[in-house]
Amino acid sequence: MDALLLIDTDDASYPSDDAMETLGDIVTRTRAVSGVLIFASTKADLADTSDEELSIFVPDEEDLVLRSESPDVFEGIDDLAAGLHDLSVDRIIIAGADATAATPGADASTGEPGTGAGEVTTDPATQAEGDADAGASSAAAPGAVFASAMAGLVCNFDVVVLSDSTTDPDGKLVTWGDAAADAGAMVKKTADTWLRM
C-alpha cells in the first residue's frame, strides 16, 4: 500500500502555484480512495499552528498530521516507520517544500559556507555533482523532502519523489532528482504516479 507524505506544504513554504495545482491532483486522488495521507511540518515556528492550517491542502480528521523537530521526519517522529509498516505501507510517495535551514557546513549566524579546516559536507547533491559553488544559497542544498526520502529508503520503503511537486524555498523545482534516483528512489511526475491502495 502507498502513503502520500507531504512535507512543509504551508503557505509560506510552498509558494509555487503550478506545483500546488499539480500536487492537489494526487491529494484528491488519495482522499478519493481513502488512502494514507500524511502532512508533516519540520518548521519550529508552526509547532502551535492548528492541524487545519498546517497545509494549503487543509488536513482533515482522516489525515495523519505530524510535527518533526528534524528535517528527516523518520528521525523526528518516534515510530513513524514502524507505524507505517504496521499499516502495510510499503511505498511512500513524497513531495512538498524542500526547505533547509542552512547550507551544510554553513556558519549558523550567517548561513554562508564556513571556512574551518577539516569541514566535510554531507550534502548528497554536492557529492553527486562533484565540485559545488562554495557560495551556493541554502536553496541549492537538499532539505526535509530529500532527507526524509533518503530515510524512507533506509527504513525499507520504496520511495517515489514527485519531481513536479517538490520545490525549493524559492518555489522552483528541486534539482537533486538524479541524486535521489542514484540512491534508489524513483523520481516521477505526479500525473504518472498511480496509487496502490
Side-chain angles (χ1 to χ4, degrees), residues 64-113:
L64 183 58
V65 179
L66 307 171
R67 288 163 178 81
S68 173
E69 293 180 6
S70 169
D72 168 1
V73 297
F74 289 96
E75 180 181 308
I77 310 293
D78 288 338
D79 299 325
L80 176 58
L84 292 174
H85 284 300
D86 287 349
L87 290 171
S88 299
V89 170
D90 58 355
R91 185 171 80 158
I92 296 174
I93 301 169
I94 188 168
D98 195 50
T100 185
T103 304
D107 178 286
S109 63
T110 65
E112 293 301 316

Side-chain angles (χ1 to χ4, degrees), residues 95-180:
D98 195 50
T100 185
T103 304
D107 178 286
S109 63
T110 65
E112 293 301 316
T115 57
E119 261 185 22
V120 176
T121 181
T122 57
D123 176 1
T126 300
Q127 292 172 353
E129 300 208 7
D131 294 330
D133 177 10
S137 74
S138 63
V145 176
F146 187 90
S148 298
M150 296 303 99
L153 291 169
V154 171
C155 292
N156 204 29
F157 292 103
D158 292 334
V159 174
V160 177
V161 177
L162 299 179
S163 62
D164 55 352
S165 298
T166 303
T167 63
D168 68 16
D170 298 324
K172 297 177 183 155
L173 297 178
V174 295
T175 58
W176 47 253
D178 289 341

